[in-house]
PDB file of all heavy atoms in Angstrom:
ATOM      1  N   ALA A 195      -3.026 273.569  67.036  1.00  0.00           N
ATOM      2  CA  ALA A 195      -2.028 274.646  66.985  1.00  0.00           C
ATOM      3  C   ALA A 195      -0.830 274.192  67.809  1.00  0.00           C
ATOM      4  O   ALA A 195      -0.950 273.935  69.009  1.00  0.00           O
ATOM      5  CB  ALA A 195      -2.614 275.936  67.550  1.00  0.00           C
ATOM      6  N   ASN A 197       3.237 274.665  69.023  1.00  0.00           N
ATOM      7  CA  ASN A 197       4.369 275.595  69.147  1.00  0.00           C
ATOM      8  C   ASN A 197       5.606 274.923  68.566  1.00  0.00           C
ATOM      9  O   ASN A 197       5.743 273.706  68.618  1.00  0.00           O
ATOM     10  CB  ASN A 197       4.593 275.933  70.619  1.00  0.00           C
ATOM     11  CG  ASN A 197       3.464 276.798  71.171  1.00  0.00           C
ATOM     12  OD1 ASN A 197       2.297 276.442  71.041  1.00  0.00           O
ATOM     13  ND2 ASN A 197       3.794 277.917  71.748  1.00  0.00           N
ATOM     14  N   TYR A 199      10.078 275.411  68.173  1.00  0.00           N
ATOM     15  CA  TYR A 199      11.201 276.020  68.898  1.00  0.00           C
ATOM     16  C   TYR A 199      12.488 276.037  68.085  1.00  0.00           C
ATOM     17  O   TYR A 199      13.453 276.701  68.465  1.00  0.00           O
ATOM     18  CB  TYR A 199      11.445 275.238  70.208  1.00  0.00           C
ATOM     19  CG  TYR A 199      10.169 275.059  70.991  1.00  0.00           C
ATOM     20  CD1 TYR A 199       9.339 273.958  70.777  1.00  0.00           C
ATOM     21  CD2 TYR A 199       9.768 276.022  71.897  1.00  0.00           C
ATOM     22  CE1 TYR A 199       8.142 273.816  71.459  1.00  0.00           C
ATOM     23  CE2 TYR A 199       8.576 275.899  72.591  1.00  0.00           C
ATOM     24  CZ  TYR A 199       7.767 274.789  72.363  1.00  0.00           C
ATOM     25  OH  TYR A 199       6.589 274.664  73.036  1.00  0.00           O
ATOM     26  N   GLN A 221       2.741 278.038  66.029  1.00  0.00           N
ATOM     27  CA  GLN A 221       2.748 279.124  67.003  1.00  0.00           C
ATOM     28  C   GLN A 221       4.143 279.461  67.496  1.00  0.00           C
ATOM     29  O   GLN A 221       4.976 278.573  67.695  1.00  0.00           O
ATOM     30  CB  GLN A 221       1.920 278.733  68.233  1.00  0.00           C
ATOM     31  CG  GLN A 221       0.532 278.236  67.924  1.00  0.00           C
ATOM     32  CD  GLN A 221      -0.403 278.307  69.110  1.00  0.00           C
ATOM     33  OE1 GLN A 221      -1.485 278.864  68.982  1.00  0.00           O
ATOM     34  NE2 GLN A 221      -0.021 277.785  70.252  1.00  0.00           N
ATOM     35  N   THR A 223       5.988 281.880  70.599  1.00  0.00           N
ATOM     36  CA  THR A 223       5.857 282.757  71.771  1.00  0.00           C
ATOM     37  C   THR A 223       6.979 283.793  71.682  1.00  0.00           C
ATOM     38  O   THR A 223       7.921 283.643  70.885  1.00  0.00           O
ATOM     39  CB  THR A 223       6.047 281.976  73.080  1.00  0.00           C
ATOM     40  OG1 THR A 223       7.314 281.326  73.020  1.00  0.00           O
ATOM     41  CG2 THR A 223       4.948 280.957  73.306  1.00  0.00           C
ATOM     42  N   HIS A 253       1.054 282.030  63.921  1.00  0.00           N
ATOM     43  CA  HIS A 253       0.307 282.700  64.995  1.00  0.00           C
ATOM     44  C   HIS A 253       1.231 283.081  66.151  1.00  0.00           C
ATOM     45  O   HIS A 253       2.087 282.294  66.554  1.00  0.00           O
ATOM     46  CB  HIS A 253      -0.778 281.720  65.480  1.00  0.00           C
ATOM     47  CG  HIS A 253      -1.532 282.158  66.687  1.00  0.00           C
ATOM     48  ND1 HIS A 253      -2.544 283.102  66.646  1.00  0.00           N
ATOM     49  CD2 HIS A 253      -1.433 281.782  67.986  1.00  0.00           C
ATOM     50  CE1 HIS A 253      -3.033 283.283  67.853  1.00  0.00           C
ATOM     51  NE2 HIS A 253      -2.374 282.496  68.696  1.00  0.00           N
ATOM     52  N   ASP A 255       1.644 283.397  69.950  1.00  0.00           N
ATOM     53  CA  ASP A 255       1.015 282.810  71.134  1.00  0.00           C
ATOM     54  C   ASP A 255       1.345 283.683  72.351  1.00  0.00           C
ATOM     55  O   ASP A 255       2.511 283.998  72.597  1.00  0.00           O
ATOM     56  CB  ASP A 255       1.613 281.391  71.295  1.00  0.00           C
ATOM     57  CG  ASP A 255       0.921 280.565  72.342  1.00  0.00           C
ATOM     58  OD1 ASP A 255      -0.263 280.806  72.607  1.00  0.00           O
ATOM     59  OD2 ASP A 255       1.583 279.636  72.884  1.00  0.00           O
ATOM     60  N   HIS A 256       0.319 284.066  73.107  1.00  0.00           N
ATOM     61  CA  HIS A 256       0.493 284.856  74.345  1.00  0.00           C
ATOM     62  C   HIS A 256       1.312 286.135  74.180  1.00  0.00           C
ATOM     63  O   HIS A 256       2.263 286.373  74.941  1.00  0.00           O
ATOM     64  CB  HIS A 256       1.136 284.001  75.446  1.00  0.00           C
ATOM     65  CG  HIS A 256       0.237 282.932  75.942  1.00  0.00           C
ATOM     66  ND1 HIS A 256      -0.855 283.179  76.736  1.00  0.00           N
ATOM     67  CD2 HIS A 256       0.246 281.597  75.721  1.00  0.00           C
ATOM     68  CE1 HIS A 256      -1.484 282.039  76.998  1.00  0.00           C
ATOM     69  NE2 HIS A 256      -0.847 281.061  76.383  1.00  0.00           N
ATOM     70  N   MET A 275      -2.155 286.569  69.118  1.00  0.00           N
ATOM     71  CA  MET A 275      -2.901 286.579  70.373  1.00  0.00           C
ATOM     72  C   MET A 275      -2.378 287.745  71.191  1.00  0.00           C
ATOM     73  O   MET A 275      -1.168 287.882  71.387  1.00  0.00           O
ATOM     74  CB  MET A 275      -2.654 285.287  71.150  1.00  0.00           C
ATOM     75  CG  MET A 275      -3.298 285.335  72.520  1.00  0.00           C
ATOM     76  SD  MET A 275      -2.821 283.909  73.519  1.00  0.00           S
ATOM     77  CE  MET A 275      -4.028 284.042  74.821  1.00  0.00           C
ATOM     78  N   GLU A 305      -6.702 286.754  68.497  1.00  0.00           N
ATOM     79  CA  GLU A 305      -7.189 285.921  69.605  1.00  0.00           C
ATOM     80  C   GLU A 305      -6.897 286.661  70.909  1.00  0.00           C
ATOM     81  O   GLU A 305      -5.875 287.348  71.028  1.00  0.00           O
ATOM     82  CB  GLU A 305      -6.421 284.581  69.571  1.00  0.00           C
ATOM     83  CG  GLU A 305      -6.716 283.642  70.728  1.00  0.00           C
ATOM     84  CD  GLU A 305      -5.853 282.358  70.631  1.00  0.00           C
ATOM     85  OE1 GLU A 305      -5.634 281.830  69.519  1.00  0.00           O
ATOM     86  OE2 GLU A 305      -5.394 281.900  71.702  1.00  0.00           O
ATOM     87  N   GLU A 307      -7.685 286.422  75.492  1.00  0.00           N
ATOM     88  CA  GLU A 307      -8.011 285.458  76.558  1.00  0.00           C
ATOM     89  C   GLU A 307      -8.739 286.134  77.709  1.00  0.00           C
ATOM     90  O   GLU A 307      -8.393 287.239  78.108  1.00  0.00           O
ATOM     91  CB  GLU A 307      -6.695 284.834  77.057  1.00  0.00           C
ATOM     92  CG  GLU A 307      -6.862 283.862  78.203  1.00  0.00           C
ATOM     93  CD  GLU A 307      -5.519 283.188  78.560  1.00  0.00           C
ATOM     94  OE1 GLU A 307      -4.791 282.780  77.640  1.00  0.00           O
ATOM     95  OE2 GLU A 307      -5.224 283.114  79.763  1.00  0.00           O
ATOM     96  N   ILE A 311      -6.035 280.955  83.110  1.00  0.00           N
ATOM     97  CA  ILE A 311      -5.444 279.682  82.654  1.00  0.00           C
ATOM     98  C   ILE A 311      -4.004 279.751  83.155  1.00  0.00           C
ATOM     99  O   ILE A 311      -3.189 280.477  82.556  1.00  0.00           O
ATOM    100  CB  ILE A 311      -5.476 279.539  81.116  1.00  0.00           C
ATOM    101  CG1 ILE A 311      -6.883 279.836  80.560  1.00  0.00           C
ATOM    102  CG2 ILE A 311      -5.023 278.135  80.704  1.00  0.00           C
ATOM    103  CD1 ILE A 311      -6.970 279.871  79.034  1.00  0.00           C
ATOM    104  N   PRO A 312      -3.686 279.050  84.265  1.00  0.00           N
ATOM    105  CA  PRO A 312      -2.346 279.204  84.847  1.00  0.00           C
ATOM    106  C   PRO A 312      -1.237 279.006  83.823  1.00  0.00           C
ATOM    107  O   PRO A 312      -1.257 278.052  83.040  1.00  0.00           O
ATOM    108  CB  PRO A 312      -2.293 278.115  85.918  1.00  0.00           C
ATOM    109  CG  PRO A 312      -3.697 277.718  86.170  1.00  0.00           C
ATOM    110  CD  PRO A 312      -4.484 278.033  84.951  1.00  0.00           C
ATOM    111  N   LEU A 314       2.997 278.540  83.081  1.00  0.00           N
ATOM    112  CA  LEU A 314       4.006 277.715  83.750  1.00  0.00           C
ATOM    113  C   LEU A 314       4.478 278.424  85.016  1.00  0.00           C
ATOM    114  O   LEU A 314       4.805 279.608  84.973  1.00  0.00           O
ATOM    115  CB  LEU A 314       5.203 277.464  82.828  1.00  0.00           C
ATOM    116  CG  LEU A 314       4.954 276.540  81.629  1.00  0.00           C
ATOM    117  CD1 LEU A 314       6.212 276.408  80.781  1.00  0.00           C
ATOM    118  CD2 LEU A 314       4.443 275.176  82.060  1.00  0.00           C
ATOM    119  N   THR A 347      -8.373 274.168  82.156  1.00  0.00           N
ATOM    120  CA  THR A 347      -7.085 273.680  81.652  1.00  0.00           C
ATOM    121  C   THR A 347      -5.951 274.523  82.250  1.00  0.00           C
ATOM    122  O   THR A 347      -6.183 275.638  82.721  1.00  0.00           O
ATOM    123  CB  THR A 347      -6.993 273.735  80.108  1.00  0.00           C
ATOM    124  OG1 THR A 347      -7.138 275.082  79.674  1.00  0.00           O
ATOM    125  CG2 THR A 347      -8.054 272.870  79.474  1.00  0.00           C
ATOM    126  N   VAL A 348      -4.746 273.967  82.239  1.00  0.00           N
ATOM    127  CA  VAL A 348      -3.559 274.696  82.710  1.00  0.00           C
ATOM    128  C   VAL A 348      -2.435 274.500  81.682  1.00  0.00           C
ATOM    129  O   VAL A 348      -2.440 273.524  80.939  1.00  0.00           O
ATOM    130  CB  VAL A 348      -3.058 274.196  84.103  1.00  0.00           C
ATOM    131  CG1 VAL A 348      -4.172 274.211  85.127  1.00  0.00           C
ATOM    132  CG2 VAL A 348      -2.438 272.810  84.018  1.00  0.00           C
ATOM    133  N   HIS A 349      -1.497 275.427  81.656  1.00  0.00           N
ATOM    134  CA  HIS A 349      -0.329 275.246  80.788  1.00  0.00           C
ATOM    135  C   HIS A 349       0.638 274.302  81.491  1.00  0.00           C
ATOM    136  O   HIS A 349       0.798 274.364  82.707  1.00  0.00           O
ATOM    137  CB  HIS A 349       0.346 276.578  80.499  1.00  0.00           C
ATOM    138  CG  HIS A 349      -0.479 277.489  79.636  1.00  0.00           C
ATOM    139  ND1 HIS A 349      -1.307 278.453  80.136  1.00  0.00           N
ATOM    140  CD2 HIS A 349      -0.604 277.559  78.278  1.00  0.00           C
ATOM    141  CE1 HIS A 349      -1.903 279.085  79.136  1.00  0.00           C
ATOM    142  NE2 HIS A 349      -1.504 278.566  77.999  1.00  0.00           N
ATOM    143  N   GLY A 350       1.298 273.444  80.734  1.00  0.00           N
ATOM    144  CA  GLY A 350       2.228 272.479  81.333  1.00  0.00           C
ATOM    145  C   GLY A 350       1.493 271.208  81.694  1.00  0.00           C
ATOM    146  O   GLY A 350       0.299 271.069  81.406  1.00  0.00           O
ATOM    147  N   PHE A 351       2.196 270.275  82.331  1.00  0.00           N
ATOM    148  CA  PHE A 351       1.566 269.001  82.688  1.00  0.00           C
ATOM    149  C   PHE A 351       0.626 269.154  83.880  1.00  0.00           C
ATOM    150  O   PHE A 351       0.803 270.052  84.702  1.00  0.00           O
ATOM    151  CB  PHE A 351       2.630 267.950  82.974  1.00  0.00           C
ATOM    152  CG  PHE A 351       3.195 267.350  81.712  1.00  0.00           C
ATOM    153  CD1 PHE A 351       4.557 267.326  81.479  1.00  0.00           C
ATOM    154  CD2 PHE A 351       2.339 266.819  80.750  1.00  0.00           C
ATOM    155  CE1 PHE A 351       5.062 266.783  80.304  1.00  0.00           C
ATOM    156  CE2 PHE A 351       2.838 266.278  79.568  1.00  0.00           C
ATOM    157  CZ  PHE A 351       4.209 266.263  79.361  1.00  0.00           C
ATOM    158  N   TYR A 352      -0.349 268.281  83.977  1.00  0.00           N
ATOM    159  CA  TYR A 352      -1.332 268.320  85.075  1.00  0.00           C
ATOM    160  C   TYR A 352      -0.829 267.508  86.245  1.00  0.00           C
ATOM    161  O   TYR A 352      -0.185 266.475  86.048  1.00  0.00           O
ATOM    162  CB  TYR A 352      -2.678 267.762  84.590  1.00  0.00           C
ATOM    163  CG  TYR A 352      -3.322 268.668  83.565  1.00  0.00           C
ATOM    164  CD1 TYR A 352      -2.897 268.645  82.234  1.00  0.00           C
ATOM    165  CD2 TYR A 352      -4.303 269.576  83.933  1.00  0.00           C
ATOM    166  CE1 TYR A 352      -3.446 269.500  81.296  1.00  0.00           C
ATOM    167  CE2 TYR A 352      -4.855 270.442  83.001  1.00  0.00           C
ATOM    168  CZ  TYR A 352      -4.422 270.389  81.682  1.00  0.00           C
ATOM    169  OH  TYR A 352      -4.952 271.247  80.765  1.00  0.00           O
ATOM    170  N   VAL A 375     -10.937 278.903  71.718  1.00  0.00           N
ATOM    171  CA  VAL A 375      -9.607 278.282  71.761  1.00  0.00           C
ATOM    172  C   VAL A 375      -9.372 277.621  73.111  1.00  0.00           C
ATOM    173  O   VAL A 375      -9.685 278.197  74.154  1.00  0.00           O
ATOM    174  CB  VAL A 375      -8.526 279.363  71.518  1.00  0.00           C
ATOM    175  CG1 VAL A 375      -7.127 278.744  71.545  1.00  0.00           C
ATOM    176  CG2 VAL A 375      -8.769 280.088  70.198  1.00  0.00           C
ATOM    177  N   LEU A 376      -8.792 276.409  73.055  1.00  0.00           N
ATOM    178  CA  LEU A 376      -8.442 275.704  74.290  1.00  0.00           C
ATOM    179  C   LEU A 376      -6.927 275.737  74.462  1.00  0.00           C
ATOM    180  O   LEU A 376      -6.187 275.140  73.677  1.00  0.00           O
ATOM    181  CB  LEU A 376      -8.914 274.247  74.208  1.00  0.00           C
ATOM    182  CG  LEU A 376      -8.815 273.456  75.520  1.00  0.00           C
ATOM    183  CD1 LEU A 376      -9.940 273.878  76.471  1.00  0.00           C
ATOM    184  CD2 LEU A 376      -8.900 271.954  75.274  1.00  0.00           C
ATOM    185  N   HIS A 377      -6.472 276.457  75.484  1.00  0.00           N
ATOM    186  CA  HIS A 377      -5.045 276.466  75.815  1.00  0.00           C
ATOM    187  C   HIS A 377      -4.765 275.306  76.751  1.00  0.00           C
ATOM    188  O   HIS A 377      -5.674 274.748  77.361  1.00  0.00           O
ATOM    189  CB  HIS A 377      -4.674 277.792  76.497  1.00  0.00           C
ATOM    190  CG  HIS A 377      -4.457 278.909  75.523  1.00  0.00           C
ATOM    191  ND1 HIS A 377      -3.231 279.489  75.326  1.00  0.00           N
ATOM    192  CD2 HIS A 377      -5.314 279.515  74.662  1.00  0.00           C
ATOM    193  CE1 HIS A 377      -3.349 280.427  74.400  1.00  0.00           C
ATOM    194  NE2 HIS A 377      -4.598 280.461  73.979  1.00  0.00           N
ATOM    195  N   GLY A 378      -3.477 274.948  76.877  1.00  0.00           N
ATOM    196  CA  GLY A 378      -3.114 273.881  77.815  1.00  0.00           C
ATOM    197  C   GLY A 378      -3.555 272.515  77.335  1.00  0.00           C
ATOM    198  O   GLY A 378      -4.031 271.684  78.121  1.00  0.00           O
ATOM    199  N   GLY A 379      -3.375 272.250  76.038  1.00  0.00           N
ATOM    200  CA  GLY A 379      -3.839 270.976  75.465  1.00  0.00           C
ATOM    201  C   GLY A 379      -3.020 269.758  75.858  1.00  0.00           C
ATOM    202  O   GLY A 379      -3.487 268.620  75.730  1.00  0.00           O
ATOM    203  N   SER A 380      -1.803 269.968  76.367  1.00  0.00           N
ATOM    204  CA  SER A 380      -0.954 268.815  76.727  1.00  0.00           C
ATOM    205  C   SER A 380      -1.516 268.085  77.938  1.00  0.00           C
ATOM    206  O   SER A 380      -1.859 268.715  78.939  1.00  0.00           O
ATOM    207  CB  SER A 380       0.467 269.288  77.067  1.00  0.00           C
ATOM    208  OG  SER A 380       1.099 269.778  75.922  1.00  0.00           O
ATOM    209  N   GLY A 381      -1.599 266.759  77.818  1.00  0.00           N
ATOM    210  CA  GLY A 381      -2.005 265.938  78.968  1.00  0.00           C
ATOM    211  C   GLY A 381      -3.506 265.827  79.151  1.00  0.00           C
ATOM    212  O   GLY A 381      -3.969 265.212  80.114  1.00  0.00           O
ATOM    213  N   LYS A 397      -9.909 275.505  68.229  1.00  0.00           N
ATOM    214  CA  LYS A 397      -8.434 275.479  68.119  1.00  0.00           C
ATOM    215  C   LYS A 397      -7.910 274.898  69.422  1.00  0.00           C
ATOM    216  O   LYS A 397      -8.330 275.330  70.504  1.00  0.00           O
ATOM    217  CB  LYS A 397      -7.932 276.907  67.902  1.00  0.00           C
ATOM    218  CG  LYS A 397      -6.416 277.119  68.027  1.00  0.00           C
ATOM    219  CD  LYS A 397      -6.060 278.576  67.710  1.00  0.00           C
ATOM    220  CE  LYS A 397      -4.580 278.892  67.850  1.00  0.00           C
ATOM    221  NZ  LYS A 397      -4.241 279.472  69.157  1.00  0.00           N
ATOM    222  N   ILE A 398      -7.007 273.928  69.298  1.00  0.00           N
ATOM    223  CA  ILE A 398      -6.428 273.311  70.498  1.00  0.00           C
ATOM    224  C   ILE A 398      -4.919 273.521  70.474  1.00  0.00           C
ATOM    225  O   ILE A 398      -4.248 273.140  69.511  1.00  0.00           O
ATOM    226  CB  ILE A 398      -6.772 271.802  70.563  1.00  0.00           C
ATOM    227  CG1 ILE A 398      -8.289 271.635  70.732  1.00  0.00           C
ATOM    228  CG2 ILE A 398      -6.011 271.120  71.711  1.00  0.00           C
ATOM    229  CD1 ILE A 398      -8.779 270.211  70.771  1.00  0.00           C
ATOM    230  N   ASN A 399      -4.404 274.145  71.528  1.00  0.00           N
ATOM    231  CA  ASN A 399      -2.971 274.457  71.600  1.00  0.00           C
ATOM    232  C   ASN A 399      -2.199 273.348  72.312  1.00  0.00           C
ATOM    233  O   ASN A 399      -2.575 272.943  73.419  1.00  0.00           O
ATOM    234  CB  ASN A 399      -2.751 275.725  72.432  1.00  0.00           C
ATOM    235  CG  ASN A 399      -3.217 276.978  71.727  1.00  0.00           C
ATOM    236  OD1 ASN A 399      -3.768 276.921  70.640  1.00  0.00           O
ATOM    237  ND2 ASN A 399      -2.993 278.113  72.352  1.00  0.00           N
ATOM    238  N   VAL A 400      -1.120 272.906  71.685  1.00  0.00           N
ATOM    239  CA  VAL A 400      -0.251 271.911  72.328  1.00  0.00           C
ATOM    240  C   VAL A 400       1.203 272.371  72.229  1.00  0.00           C
ATOM    241  O   VAL A 400       1.708 272.649  71.146  1.00  0.00           O
ATOM    242  CB  VAL A 400      -0.409 270.520  71.654  1.00  0.00           C
ATOM    243  CG1 VAL A 400       0.623 269.537  72.198  1.00  0.00           C
ATOM    244  CG2 VAL A 400      -1.804 269.965  71.885  1.00  0.00           C
ATOM    245  N   ALA A 401       1.861 272.453  73.386  1.00  0.00           N
ATOM    246  CA  ALA A 401       3.269 272.865  73.417  1.00  0.00           C
ATOM    247  C   ALA A 401       4.103 271.922  74.292  1.00  0.00           C
ATOM    248  O   ALA A 401       5.078 271.325  73.821  1.00  0.00           O
ATOM    249  CB  ALA A 401       3.387 274.299  73.935  1.00  0.00           C
ATOM    250  N   THR A 402       3.705 271.780  75.554  1.00  0.00           N
ATOM    251  CA  THR A 402       4.519 271.031  76.526  1.00  0.00           C
ATOM    252  C   THR A 402       4.849 269.603  76.059  1.00  0.00           C
ATOM    253  O   THR A 402       5.981 269.146  76.193  1.00  0.00           O
ATOM    254  CB  THR A 402       3.786 270.981  77.885  1.00  0.00           C
ATOM    255  OG1 THR A 402       3.629 272.333  78.331  1.00  0.00           O
ATOM    256  CG2 THR A 402       4.554 270.195  78.921  1.00  0.00           C
ATOM    257  N   GLU A 403       3.870 268.912  75.499  1.00  0.00           N
ATOM    258  CA  GLU A 403       4.120 267.526  75.078  1.00  0.00           C
ATOM    259  C   GLU A 403       5.171 267.463  73.966  1.00  0.00           C
ATOM    260  O   GLU A 403       5.891 266.469  73.844  1.00  0.00           O
ATOM    261  CB  GLU A 403       2.816 266.860  74.611  1.00  0.00           C
ATOM    262  CG  GLU A 403       1.923 266.422  75.752  1.00  0.00           C
ATOM    263  CD  GLU A 403       0.762 265.549  75.296  1.00  0.00           C
ATOM    264  OE1 GLU A 403       0.991 264.449  74.780  1.00  0.00           O
ATOM    265  OE2 GLU A 403      -0.389 265.998  75.429  1.00  0.00           O
ATOM    266  N   ILE A 404       5.241 268.532  73.168  1.00  0.00           N
ATOM    267  CA  ILE A 404       6.241 268.561  72.083  1.00  0.00           C
ATOM    268  C   ILE A 404       7.644 268.709  72.676  1.00  0.00           C
ATOM    269  O   ILE A 404       8.565 267.955  72.346  1.00  0.00           O
ATOM    270  CB  ILE A 404       5.934 269.726  71.100  1.00  0.00           C
ATOM    271  CG1 ILE A 404       4.593 269.478  70.409  1.00  0.00           C
ATOM    272  CG2 ILE A 404       7.063 269.902  70.078  1.00  0.00           C
ATOM    273  CD1 ILE A 404       4.103 270.631  69.545  1.00  0.00           C
ATOM    274  N   LYS A 405       7.779 269.676  73.602  1.00  0.00           N
ATOM    275  CA  LYS A 405       9.095 269.889  74.244  1.00  0.00           C
ATOM    276  C   LYS A 405       9.526 268.631  74.982  1.00  0.00           C
ATOM    277  O   LYS A 405      10.677 268.216  74.955  1.00  0.00           O
ATOM    278  CB  LYS A 405       8.997 271.034  75.268  1.00  0.00           C
ATOM    279  CG  LYS A 405       8.914 272.402  74.655  1.00  0.00           C
ATOM    280  CD  LYS A 405       9.055 273.492  75.708  1.00  0.00           C
ATOM    281  CE  LYS A 405       7.741 273.765  76.377  1.00  0.00           C
ATOM    282  NZ  LYS A 405       7.722 274.975  77.206  1.00  0.00           N
TER     283      LYS A 405
HETATM  284  P1  LIG B 743       0.571 273.211  76.848  1.00  0.00           P
HETATM  285  O1  LIG B 743       1.989 273.635  76.945  1.00  0.00           O
HETATM  286  O2  LIG B 743      -0.008 272.827  78.150  1.00  0.00           O
HETATM  287  O3  LIG B 743       0.357 272.195  75.789  1.00  0.00           O
HETATM  288  O4  LIG B 743      -0.248 274.512  76.405  1.00  0.00           O
HETATM  289  C1  LIG B 743       0.040 275.094  75.181  1.00  0.00           C
HETATM  290  C2  LIG B 743      -0.638 276.392  75.045  1.00  0.00           C
HETATM  291  O5  LIG B 743      -1.757 276.592  75.462  1.00  0.00           O
HETATM  292  C3  LIG B 743       0.094 277.452  74.341  1.00  0.00           C
HETATM  293  O6  LIG B 743      -0.581 278.658  74.401  1.00  0.00           O
END
Side-chain angles (χ1 to χ4, degrees):
N197 290 53
Y199 310 89
Q221 308 200 128
T223 56
H253 173 78
D255 189 27
H256 291 287
M275 174 188 194
E305 175 182 321
E307 177 175 316
I311 310 174
L314 290 179
T347 61
V348 307
H349 291 95
F351 280 127
Y352 292 79
V375 180
L376 189 76
H377 279 247
S380 292
K397 169 177 178 264
I398 295 178
N399 289 4
V400 172
T402 299
E403 282 190 63
I404 296 173
K405 286 190 276 192

